[in-house]
Amino acid sequence: NAGVMQNPRHLVRRRGQEARLRCSPMKGHSHVYWYRQLPEEGLKFMVYLQKENIIDESGMPKERFSAEFPKEGPSILRIQQVVRGDSAAYFCASSNGLSYEQYFGPGTRLTVT
Amino acid sequence: AQSVTQLDSQVPVFEEAPVELRCNYSSSVSVYLFWYVQYPNQGLQLLLKYLSGSTLVKGINGFEAEFNKSQTSFHLRKPSVHISDTAEYFCAVGGSSGSARQLTFGSGTQLTVLP
């Protein structure tokens, strides 16, 4: 499957724990975007990364959230000390950087109890 | 700054009837426009895109959209819907502004096709 892969698909965390969401972009893509979808809402941009670089993190909450896209391996979205308001679907998308088309993964649904 | 307004949150329509899902955008830079479809508990699938050229864009599953620059609209249409078209549809805009390659999404339109 050459599509965007995300894991886990579902993640349950208790308040105060850490959540790590992984995204492997489509083959040949080196640009990754993270979006968050709250219940009954559209997707909101969080962060845009290229390999080893954060290009735009204007949508990231100032605290507890971080993202990386190392030279090797998947992109990681990390949420420390999760709170109930972090419960949402987190989607990763990738592109080849030459076009504005983005291809989305199936998402990770985070539930904070 | 960019924004997208999807004027209808819910659109019920009978099977085999035509449908139009409305989308208006605002942007201060050149725009690229997209429609995505999301089935329950799944990711987003690209239906169609406008990048440049012809303002009438054809996509998958029989959908098409027309870019209207003067009205800043990008409405999605299908002449005859099927039950399987029931899903959430999102309009999105991207713009060429430096490093700003992220998409801005509308709040979505739930299309429900009734038998």
Side-chain angles (χ1 to χ4, degrees):
Chain A
N1 187 347
V4 179
M5 298 177 66
Q6 290 186 250
N7 67 80
R9 294 290 307 275
H10 300 274
L11 182 61
V12 180
R13 286 287 179 265
R14 292 181 177 170
R15 280 181 296 171
Q17 291 184 321
E18 178 180 288
R20 283 188 179 232
L21 288 62
R22 296 175 186 77
C23 169
S24 295
M26 188 177 284
K27 188 177 181 180
H29 287 184
S30 59
H31 296 239
V32 165
Y33 310 79
W34 285 93
Y35 294 84
R36 177 165 65 175
Q37 183 180 33
L38 294 170
E40 308 298 323
E41 294 186 16
L43 280 73
K44 305 290 186 192
F45 167 75
M46 299 180 75
V47 62
Y48 164 34
L49 310 103
Q50 295 177 30
K51 288 279 188 181
E52 301 184 282
N53 283 304
I54 297 175
I55 306 303
D56 184 349
E57 55 182 349
S58 59
M60 285 279 268
K62 299 299 180 191
E63 298 178 348
R64 302 187 296 108
F65 285 72
S66 62
E68 63 176 7
F69 189 15
K71 186 176 180 181
E72 302 290 338
S75 175
I76 307 280
L77 178 68
R78 182 183 179 202
I79 311 172
Q80 295 179 289
Q81 300 175 343
V82 296
V83 301
R84 287 218 172 106
D86 297 333
S87 295
Y90 292 82
F91 290 96
C92 168
S94 74
S95 76
N96 59 16
L98 301 175
S99 167
Y100 281 87
E101 291 175 57
Q102 294 180 20
Y103 294 88
F104 282 78
T108 293
R109 281 156 181 83
L110 172 66
T111 302
V112 179
T113 62
Chain B
Q2 299 172 319
S3 67
V4 177
T5 302
Q6 290 185 243
L7 297 160
D8 306 296
S9 60
Q10 308 257 357
V11 173
V13 63
F14 286 106
E15 193 173 16
E16 298 184 8
V19 70
E20 178 180 82
L21 306 184
R22 297 181 292 170
C23 172
N24 286 90
Y25 69 91
S26 67
S27 176
S28 57
V29 297
S30 300
V31 294
Y32 307 94
L33 294 156
F34 306 87
W35 275 98
Y36 286 86
V37 60
Q38 184 180 33
Y39 298 99
N41 297 315
Q42 295 188 25
L44 277 71
Q45 180 181 7
L46 182 63
L47 266 181
L48 49 76
K49 64 195 177 197
Y50 171 79
L51 303 178
S52 64
S54 174
T55 57
L56 182 62
V57 178
K58 293 190 183 297
I60 62 171
N61 300 341
F63 284 94
E64 65 181 31
E66 186 158 18
F67 171 57
N68 188 320
K69 188 174 182 180
S70 63
Q71 297 188 5
T72 61
S73 68
F74 191 55
H75 300 333
L76 181 71
R77 301 186 183 100
K78 186 170 182 178
S80 176
V81 294
H82 303 289
I83 296 287
S84 59
D85 292 324
T86 295
E88 187 94 23
Y89 291 79
F90 292 98
C91 180
V93 61
S96 57
S97 174
S99 64
R101 288 179 170 262
Q102 69 267 29
L103 297 179
T104 299
F105 283 84
S107 55
T109 297
Q110 174 65 43
L111 173 65
T112 301
V113 181
L114 306 167

Coordinates of all heavy atoms in Angstrom, one line a residue, chain B residues 17-98:
Chain B
A17 N -31.6 12.1 -7.7 CA -31.8 13.5 -7.9 C -30.4 14.2 -8.0 O -29.4 13.7 -7.6 CB -32.5 14.1 -6.7
P18 N -30.4 15.4 -8.6 CA -29.2 16.2 -8.7 C -28.9 16.8 -7.3 O -29.8 17.1 -6.5 CB -29.5 17.2 -9.7 CG -30.9 17.4 -9.7 CD -31.5 16.1 -9.3
V19 N -27.6 17.2 -7.1 CA -27.2 17.8 -5.9 C -26.2 18.9 -6.1 O -25.4 18.7 -7.1 CB -26.7 16.8 -4.8 CG1 -25.4 16.2 -5.2 CG2 -26.7 17.5 -3.4
E20 N -26.2 20.0 -5.4 CA -25.1 21.0 -5.4 C -24.8 21.3 -3.9 O -25.6 21.6 -3.1 CB -25.6 22.3 -6.1 CG -24.6 23.4 -6.1 CD -25.0 24.6 -6.7 OE1 -25.7 25.4 -6.1 OE2 -24.7 24.8 -7.9
L21 N -23.5 21.2 -3.7 CA -23.0 21.6 -2.4 C -22.2 22.8 -2.5 O -21.2 22.9 -3.3 CB -22.1 20.4 -1.8 CG -22.7 19.0 -1.7 CD1 -21.7 18.1 -1.1 CD2 -24.0 19.0 -1.0
R22 N -22.5 23.8 -1.8 CA -22.0 25.2 -2.0 C -20.7 25.5 -1.2 O -20.6 25.1 0.0 CB -23.0 26.2 -1.7 CG -24.2 26.1 -2.6 CD -25.3 27.2 -2.3 NE -25.9 27.0 -1.1 CZ -26.7 27.9 -0.5 NH1 -26.9 29.0 -1.0 NH2 -27.3 27.6 0.7
C23 N -19.8 26.2 -1.8 CA -18.6 26.5 -1.1 C -18.1 27.9 -1.6 O -18.0 28.2 -2.8 CB -17.5 25.5 -1.5 SG -15.8 26.0 -0.9
N24 N -17.9 28.8 -0.7 CA -17.3 30.1 -1.0 C -16.0 30.3 -0.2 O -15.9 29.8 0.9 CB -18.3 31.2 -0.6 CG -19.5 31.3 -1.6 OD1 -20.5 30.7 -1.4 ND2 -19.3 32.1 -2.6
Y25 N -15.1 31.0 -0.8 CA -13.8 31.2 -0.2 C -13.4 32.6 -0.2 O -14.0 33.4 -0.9 CB -12.7 30.3 -0.9 CG -12.5 30.9 -2.3 CD1 -11.4 31.8 -2.5 CD2 -13.2 30.5 -3.4 CE1 -11.2 32.3 -3.7 CE2 -13.0 31.0 -4.6 CZ -12.0 31.9 -4.8 OH -11.8 32.4 -6.1
S26 N -12.4 33.0 0.6 CA -11.8 34.3 0.6 C -10.3 34.1 0.7 O -9.8 33.2 1.5 CB -12.3 35.2 1.7 OG -11.9 34.8 2.9
S27 N -9.6 34.8 -0.1 CA -8.1 34.7 -0.1 C -7.5 35.9 -0.7 O -8.0 36.5 -1.6 CB -7.7 33.4 -0.9 OG -6.3 33.4 -0.9
S28 N -6.3 36.3 -0.2 CA -5.6 37.4 -0.7 C -4.6 37.1 -1.7 O -3.9 37.9 -2.2 CB -5.0 38.3 0.4 OG -4.2 37.4 1.2
V29 N -4.4 35.8 -1.9 CA -3.4 35.3 -2.9 C -4.0 34.3 -3.9 O -5.2 34.0 -3.8 CB -2.3 34.6 -2.1 CG1 -1.6 35.5 -1.2 CG2 -2.8 33.4 -1.4
S30 N -3.2 33.9 -4.8 CA -3.7 32.9 -5.8 C -4.2 31.7 -5.0 O -3.6 31.3 -4.0 CB -2.6 32.5 -6.7 OG -2.2 33.6 -7.4
V31 N -5.3 31.1 -5.5 CA -5.9 30.0 -4.8 C -5.9 28.7 -5.6 O -5.9 28.7 -6.8 CB -7.3 30.3 -4.3 CG1 -7.4 31.4 -3.3 CG2 -8.2 30.6 -5.5
Y32 N -5.8 27.7 -4.8 CA -6.0 26.3 -5.3 C -7.2 25.7 -4.5 O -7.2 25.8 -3.3 CB -4.7 25.5 -5.2 CG -3.5 26.2 -5.8 CD1 -2.7 27.0 -5.0 CD2 -3.2 26.1 -7.1 CE1 -1.6 27.7 -5.5 CE2 -2.2 26.8 -7.7 CZ -1.4 27.6 -6.9 OH -0.3 28.2 -7.4
L33 N -8.1 25.1 -5.2 CA -9.3 24.7 -4.5 C -9.5 23.2 -4.6 O -9.2 22.6 -5.7 CB -10.5 25.4 -5.1 CG -10.5 26.9 -4.8 CD1 -11.3 27.6 -5.9 CD2 -11.0 27.2 -3.4
F34 N -10.1 22.6 -3.6 CA -10.2 21.1 -3.5 C -11.5 20.8 -2.8 O -12.1 21.5 -2.0 CB -9.1 20.5 -2.6 CG -7.7 20.9 -3.0 CD1 -7.1 22.1 -2.5 CD2 -7.0 20.1 -3.9 CE1 -5.8 22.4 -2.9 CE2 -5.7 20.4 -4.3 CZ -5.1 21.6 -3.8
W35 N -12.1 19.6 -3.3 CA -13.2 19.0 -2.5 C -12.7 17.6 -2.1 O -12.1 16.8 -2.9 CB -14.4 18.8 -3.4 CG -15.3 20.0 -3.5 CD1 -15.3 21.0 -4.4 CD2 -16.3 20.4 -2.5 NE1 -16.3 22.0 -4.1 CE2 -16.9 21.6 -3.0 CE3 -16.7 19.8 -1.3 CZ2 -17.9 22.2 -2.3 CZ3 -17.8 20.4 -0.6 CH2 -18.3 21.6 -1.1
Y36 N -12.9 17.3 -0.8 CA -12.6 16.0 -0.3 C -13.9 15.4 0.3 O -14.8 16.1 0.7 CB -11.6 16.1 0.9 CG -10.2 16.5 0.5 CD1 -9.8 17.8 0.4 CD2 -9.3 15.4 0.4 CE1 -8.5 18.0 0.0 CE2 -7.9 15.7 0.1 CZ -7.5 17.0 -0.1 OH -6.2 17.3 -0.4
V37 N -13.9 14.0 0.3 CA -15.1 13.3 0.8 C -14.5 12.5 2.0 O -13.4 11.9 1.9 CB -15.8 12.4 -0.2 CG1 -14.8 11.4 -0.8 CG2 -17.0 11.7 0.4
Q38 N -15.3 12.4 3.0 CA -15.0 11.6 4.2 C -16.1 10.7 4.6 O -17.2 11.2 4.9 CB -14.6 12.5 5.4 CG -14.2 11.8 6.6 CD -13.8 12.7 7.8 OE1 -14.5 13.7 8.0 NE2 -12.9 12.3 8.6
Y39 N -15.9 9.4 4.5 CA -16.9 8.4 4.9 C -16.7 8.2 6.4 O -15.6 8.4 6.9 CB -16.7 7.1 4.1 CG -17.0 7.4 2.6 CD1 -15.9 7.5 1.7 CD2 -18.3 7.5 2.2 CE1 -16.2 7.7 0.4 CE2 -18.5 7.7 0.8 CZ -17.5 7.8 -0.1 OH -17.7 8.1 -1.4
P40 N -17.7 7.7 7.1 CA -17.6 7.6 8.6 C -16.4 6.8 9.0 O -16.0 5.8 8.5 CB -18.9 6.8 8.9 CG -19.8 7.2 7.8 CD -19.0 7.3 6.6
N41 N -15.7 7.5 10.0 CA -14.5 6.9 10.6 C -13.4 6.6 9.6 O -12.6 5.7 9.9 CB -14.9 5.6 11.4 CG -15.8 5.9 12.5 OD1 -15.6 6.9 13.3 ND2 -16.9 5.1 12.6
Q42 N -13.3 7.3 8.6 CA -12.2 7.2 7.6 C -11.5 8.5 7.4 O -12.0 9.5 7.8 CB -12.8 6.6 6.3 CG -13.4 5.2 6.4 CD -13.7 4.6 5.0 OE1 -13.1 5.0 4.0 NE2 -14.6 3.7 5.0
G43 N -10.5 8.4 6.6 CA -9.7 9.6 6.2 C -10.4 10.4 5.1 O -11.5 10.0 4.7
L44 N -9.7 11.4 4.6 CA -10.3 12.2 3.5 C -9.8 11.7 2.2 O -8.6 11.4 2.0 CB -9.9 13.6 3.7 CG -10.8 14.5 4.6 CD1 -10.6 14.0 6.1 CD2 -10.5 16.0 4.5
Q45 N -10.7 11.6 1.2 CA -10.3 11.2 -0.1 C -10.5 12.4 -1.1 O -11.6 13.1 -1.0 CB -11.2 10.0 -0.6 CG -10.9 9.5 -2.0 CD -11.8 8.4 -2.4 OE1 -12.8 8.1 -1.7 NE2 -11.6 7.8 -3.5
L46 N -9.5 12.7 -1.9 CA -9.6 13.8 -2.8 C -10.6 13.5 -3.9 O -10.5 12.5 -4.6 CB -8.2 14.0 -3.4 CG -8.1 15.2 -4.4 CD1 -8.4 16.5 -3.7 CD2 -6.7 15.3 -5.0
L47 N -11.6 14.3 -4.0 CA -12.6 14.2 -5.1 C -12.2 14.9 -6.4 O -12.3 14.3 -7.5 CB -13.9 14.8 -4.6 CG -15.0 14.0 -3.9 CD1 -16.2 14.9 -3.6 CD2 -15.4 12.8 -4.8
L48 N -11.8 16.1 -6.2 CA -11.4 16.9 -7.4 C -10.6 18.1 -6.9 O -10.6 18.5 -5.7 CB -12.5 17.3 -8.3 CG -13.8 17.9 -7.6 CD1 -13.5 19.4 -7.2 CD2 -15.0 17.8 -8.5
K49 N -9.9 18.8 -7.9 CA -9.1 19.9 -7.5 C -9.1 20.9 -8.7 O -9.3 20.6 -9.9 CB -7.7 19.5 -7.3 CG -7.0 18.9 -8.6 CD -5.8 18.1 -8.3 CE -5.3 17.5 -9.6 NZ -4.3 16.4 -9.5
Y50 N -9.0 22.2 -8.3 CA -8.7 23.2 -9.3 C -7.4 23.9 -9.0 O -7.2 24.4 -7.9 CB -9.8 24.3 -9.2 CG -9.5 25.5 -10.1 CD1 -9.6 25.5 -11.5 CD2 -8.9 26.6 -9.5 CE1 -9.2 26.5 -12.3 CE2 -8.5 27.7 -10.3 CZ -8.7 27.6 -11.7 OH -8.3 28.7 -12.5
L51 N -6.5 23.8 -9.9 CA -5.2 24.4 -9.8 C -5.0 25.5 -10.7 O -4.4 26.6 -10.4 CB -4.1 23.3 -10.0 CG -4.1 22.1 -9.0 CD1 -3.0 21.1 -9.4 CD2 -4.0 22.5 -7.6
S52 N -5.4 25.3 -12.0 CA -5.4 26.4 -13.0 C -6.1 25.9 -14.2 O -6.6 24.7 -14.2 CB -3.9 26.7 -13.4 OG -3.3 25.6 -14.0
G53 N -6.3 26.7 -15.2 CA -6.8 26.3 -16.5 C -8.4 26.3 -16.5 O -9.0 27.2 -16.0
S54 N -9.0 25.3 -17.1 CA -10.4 25.3 -17.2 C -11.1 25.4 -15.9 O -10.7 24.7 -14.9 CB -10.9 23.9 -17.9 OG -12.3 23.8 -17.9
T55 N -12.1 26.2 -15.8 CA -12.8 26.5 -14.6 C -13.8 25.3 -14.2 O -14.3 25.3 -13.1 CB -13.6 27.8 -14.6 OG1 -14.5 27.8 -15.7 CG2 -12.6 29.0 -14.8
L56 N -14.1 24.5 -15.2 CA -15.0 23.3 -14.9 C -14.1 22.1 -14.7 O -13.4 21.7 -15.5 CB -16.0 23.1 -16.0 CG -16.9 21.9 -15.8 CD1 -17.8 22.2 -14.6 CD2 -17.8 21.7 -17.1
V57 N -14.2 21.6 -13.5 CA -13.3 20.5 -13.1 C -14.1 19.2 -12.9 O -15.1 19.3 -12.2 CB -12.5 20.9 -11.8 CG1 -11.6 19.7 -11.4 CG2 -11.7 22.1 -12.0
K58 N -13.6 18.2 -13.4 CA -14.3 16.9 -13.2 C -13.5 16.0 -12.3 O -12.3 16.0 -12.4 CB -14.5 16.2 -14.6 CG -15.5 16.9 -15.5 CD -15.9 16.1 -16.7 CE -16.9 16.9 -17.6 NZ -18.1 17.3 -16.9
G59 N -14.2 15.3 -11.4 CA -13.5 14.5 -10.5 C -14.0 13.0 -10.5 O -14.6 12.6 -11.5
I60 N -13.7 12.3 -9.4 CA -14.1 10.9 -9.4 C -15.6 10.8 -9.0 O -16.2 11.7 -8.5 CB -13.3 10.2 -8.3 CG1 -13.4 10.7 -6.9 CG2 -11.8 10.2 -8.8 CD1 -12.8 9.9 -5.9
N61 N -16.1 9.6 -9.2 CA -17.5 9.3 -8.8 C -18.6 10.2 -9.5 O -19.6 10.3 -8.9 CB -17.7 9.3 -7.3 CG -16.7 8.3 -6.6 OD1 -16.2 7.4 -7.2 ND2 -16.5 8.6 -5.3
G62 N -18.3 10.8 -10.6 CA -19.3 11.6 -11.3 C -19.4 13.0 -10.8 O -20.3 13.7 -11.3
F63 N -18.6 13.4 -9.9 CA -18.7 14.8 -9.4 C -18.0 15.8 -10.3 O -17.0 15.4 -10.9 CB -18.1 14.9 -7.9 CG -19.0 14.3 -6.9 CD1 -18.9 13.0 -6.5 CD2 -20.0 15.1 -6.3 CE1 -19.8 12.4 -5.5 CE2 -20.8 14.6 -5.3 CZ -20.7 13.2 -4.9
E64 N -18.4 17.0 -10.3 CA -17.7 18.1 -10.9 C -17.9 19.4 -10.1 O -18.8 19.5 -9.3 CB -18.2 18.3 -12.4 CG -19.7 18.7 -12.4 CD -20.1 18.9 -13.9 OE1 -19.6 18.2 -14.8 OE2 -21.0 19.8 -14.1
A65 N -17.1 20.3 -10.4 CA -17.1 21.6 -9.7 C -16.7 22.7 -10.6 O -15.9 22.5 -11.5 CB -16.3 21.6 -8.4
E66 N -17.2 23.9 -10.4 CA -16.9 25.0 -11.2 C -16.3 26.2 -10.4 O -16.9 26.6 -9.4 CB -18.1 25.6 -12.0 CG -17.8 26.7 -13.0 CD -18.8 26.8 -14.0 OE1 -19.9 26.3 -13.9 OE2 -18.5 27.4 -15.1
F67 N -15.1 26.6 -10.8 CA -14.4 27.7 -10.1 C -15.0 29.0 -10.7 O -14.9 29.2 -11.9 CB -12.9 27.6 -10.4 CG -12.1 28.8 -9.9 CD1 -12.2 29.2 -8.6 CD2 -11.3 29.5 -10.9 CE1 -11.5 30.3 -8.2 CE2 -10.6 30.6 -10.5 CZ -10.7 31.0 -9.1
N68 N -15.5 29.9 -9.8 CA -16.0 31.1 -10.3 C -15.3 32.2 -9.5 O -15.6 32.5 -8.3 CB -17.5 31.2 -10.0 CG -18.1 32.5 -10.6 OD1 -17.5 33.6 -10.5 ND2 -19.3 32.4 -11.2
K69 N -14.3 32.8 -10.2 CA -13.4 33.8 -9.5 C -14.2 35.0 -9.0 O -14.0 35.6 -7.9 CB -12.3 34.2 -10.4 CG -11.2 35.0 -9.7 CD -10.0 35.3 -10.6 CE -9.0 36.1 -9.9 NZ -7.8 36.3 -10.8
S70 N -15.1 35.5 -9.9 CA -15.8 36.8 -9.5 C -16.8 36.6 -8.3 O -17.0 37.5 -7.5 CB -16.6 37.2 -10.7 OG -17.6 36.3 -11.1
Q71 N -17.3 35.4 -8.2 CA -18.2 35.1 -7.0 C -17.4 34.3 -5.9 O -18.0 34.0 -4.9 CB -19.4 34.3 -7.5 CG -20.3 35.0 -8.5 CD -21.5 34.3 -8.8 OE1 -21.9 33.3 -8.2 NE2 -22.3 34.8 -9.7
T72 N -16.1 34.1 -6.1 CA -15.3 33.4 -5.1 C -16.0 32.1 -4.7 O -16.2 31.9 -3.5 CB -14.9 34.3 -4.0 OG1 -16.0 34.7 -3.2 CG2 -14.1 35.5 -4.4
S73 N -16.5 31.4 -5.6 CA -17.2 30.1 -5.3 C -16.6 28.9 -6.0 O -15.9 29.1 -7.0 CB -18.6 30.2 -5.7 OG -18.8 30.3 -7.1
F74 N -16.8 27.8 -5.4 CA -16.3 26.5 -6.0 C -17.4 25.4 -5.6 O -17.1 24.6 -4.8 CB -14.9 26.2 -5.4 CG -14.2 25.1 -6.1 CD1 -14.1 25.1 -7.5 CD2 -13.7 24.0 -5.4 CE1 -13.4 24.0 -8.2 CE2 -13.1 22.9 -6.0 CZ -12.9 23.0 -7.4
H75 N -18.5 25.5 -6.2 CA -19.6 24.6 -5.8 C -19.4 23.2 -6.5 O -19.0 23.1 -7.6 CB -21.0 25.2 -6.3 CG -21.3 26.5 -5.7 ND1 -20.8 26.9 -4.5 CD2 -22.0 27.6 -6.1 CE1 -21.2 28.2 -4.2 NE2 -22.0 28.6 -5.2
L76 N -19.8 22.2 -5.7 CA -19.7 20.8 -6.1 C -21.1 20.4 -6.6 O -22.1 20.6 -6.0 CB -19.2 20.0 -4.9 CG -19.0 18.5 -5.2 CD1 -17.8 18.2 -6.1 CD2 -18.8 17.7 -3.9
R77 N -21.1 19.6 -7.7 CA -22.3 19.2 -8.3 C -22.2 17.7 -8.7 O -21.2 17.2 -9.1 CB -22.7 20.0 -9.5 CG -22.9 21.5 -9.2 CD -23.4 22.2 -10.5 NE -23.5 23.7 -10.2 CZ -22.6 24.5 -10.6 NH1 -21.5 24.1 -11.3 NH2 -22.7 25.8 -10.3
K78 N -23.4 17.1 -8.7 CA -23.5 15.7 -9.3 C -24.9 15.6 -9.8 O -25.9 15.9 -9.1 CB -23.3 14.6 -8.3 CG -23.2 13.2 -8.9 CD -22.7 12.2 -7.9 CE -22.7 10.8 -8.6 NZ -22.1 9.8 -7.7
P79 N -25.1 15.2 -11.1 CA -26.4 15.2 -11.7 C -27.4 14.1 -11.2 O -28.6 14.3 -11.3 CB -26.1 14.9 -13.2 CG -24.7 14.3 -13.2 CD -24.0 14.8 -12.0
S80 N -26.8 13.1 -10.6 CA -27.7 12.0 -10.1 C -26.9 11.2 -9.0 O -25.9 10.6 -9.3 CB -28.0 11.0 -11.3 OG -28.8 9.9 -10.8
V81 N -27.4 11.4 -7.8 CA -26.7 10.8 -6.7 C -27.1 9.4 -6.4 O -28.2 9.0 -6.7 CB -26.8 11.7 -5.4 CG1 -26.2 13.0 -5.6 CG2 -28.3 11.8 -5.0
H82 N -26.2 8.6 -5.7 CA -26.5 7.3 -5.3 C -26.4 7.2 -3.8 O -25.8 8.1 -3.1 CB -25.5 6.3 -5.9 CG -25.4 6.4 -7.4 ND1 -26.4 5.9 -8.2 CD2 -24.5 6.9 -8.2 CE1 -26.1 6.1 -9.4 NE2 -25.0 6.7 -9.5
I83 N -27.0 6.2 -3.2 CA -27.0 6.0 -1.8 C -25.5 6.0 -1.3 O -25.3 6.5 -0.2 CB -27.6 4.6 -1.4 CG1 -29.1 4.6 -1.8 CG2 -27.4 4.3 0.1 CD1 -30.0 5.4 -0.8
S84 N -24.6 5.4 -2.1 CA -23.2 5.3 -1.7 C -22.5 6.7 -1.6 O -21.4 6.8 -1.1 CB -22.5 4.4 -2.6 OG -22.5 4.9 -3.9
D85 N -23.2 7.8 -2.1 CA -22.6 9.1 -2.0 C -22.8 9.7 -0.6 O -22.3 10.8 -0.3 CB -23.2 10.0 -3.1 CG -22.8 9.6 -4.5 OD1 -21.6 9.2 -4.7 OD2 -23.7 9.7 -5.4
T86 N -23.6 9.1 0.2 CA -23.8 9.6 1.6 C -22.5 9.7 2.3 O -21.8 8.7 2.5 CB -24.8 8.7 2.4 OG1 -26.1 8.7 1.7 CG2 -24.9 9.1 3.8
A87 N -22.1 10.9 2.7 CA -20.8 11.1 3.4 C -20.7 12.6 3.7 O -21.6 13.4 3.5 CB -19.7 10.8 2.4
E88 N -19.6 12.9 4.4 CA -19.3 14.3 4.7 C -18.4 14.9 3.6 O -17.4 14.2 3.2 CB -18.6 14.5 6.0 CG -18.4 15.9 6.5 CD -19.5 16.3 7.5 OE1 -20.1 15.5 8.0 OE2 -19.7 17.5 7.6
Y89 N -18.7 16.1 3.1 CA -17.9 16.7 2.0 C -17.3 17.9 2.5 O -17.9 18.8 3.1 CB -18.8 16.9 0.8 CG -19.2 15.6 0.1 CD1 -20.3 14.9 0.7 CD2 -18.6 15.2 -1.0 CE1 -20.7 13.7 0.1 CE2 -19.0 14.0 -1.6 CZ -20.0 13.3 -1.0 OH -20.4 12.1 -1.6
F90 N -16.0 18.1 2.3 CA -15.2 19.3 2.7 C -14.6 20.0 1.5 O -14.0 19.4 0.7 CB -14.1 18.8 3.7 CG -14.5 18.3 5.0 CD1 -14.6 17.0 5.2 CD2 -14.9 19.2 6.0 CE1 -15.1 16.5 6.4 CE2 -15.3 18.7 7.2 CZ -15.4 17.3 7.4
C91 N -14.8 21.3 1.5 CA -14.2 22.2 0.6 C -12.9 22.7 1.2 O -12.9 23.0 2.5 CB -15.1 23.3 0.2 SG -14.5 24.5 -1.0
A92 N -11.8 22.9 0.5 CA -10.6 23.4 1.1 C -9.9 24.3 0.1 O -10.0 24.1 -1.1 CB -9.7 22.2 1.4
V93 N -9.2 25.2 0.6 CA -8.4 26.2 -0.2 C -7.0 26.2 0.2 O -6.7 26.1 1.4 CB -9.0 27.6 -0.1 CG1 -9.0 28.1 1.3 CG2 -8.3 28.6 -1.0
G94 N -6.1 26.2 -0.7 CA -4.6 26.4 -0.5 C -4.2 27.6 -1.2 O -4.8 28.0 -2.2
G95 N -3.1 28.2 -0.8 CA -2.7 29.4 -1.4 C -1.2 29.5 -1.5 O -0.4 28.9 -0.8
S96 N -0.7 30.2 -2.5 CA 0.7 30.4 -2.7 C 1.2 31.6 -2.0 O 1.3 32.7 -2.5 CB 1.0 30.5 -4.2 OG 0.3 31.6 -4.8
S97 N 1.5 31.4 -0.8 CA 2.0 32.5 0.1 C 3.2 32.0 0.8 O 3.1 31.6 2.0 CB 1.0 33.0 1.0 OG 1.5 34.0 1.9
G98 N 4.4 32.2 0.2 CA 5.6 31.8 0.9 C 5.6 30.3 1.3 O 5.3 29.4 0.5

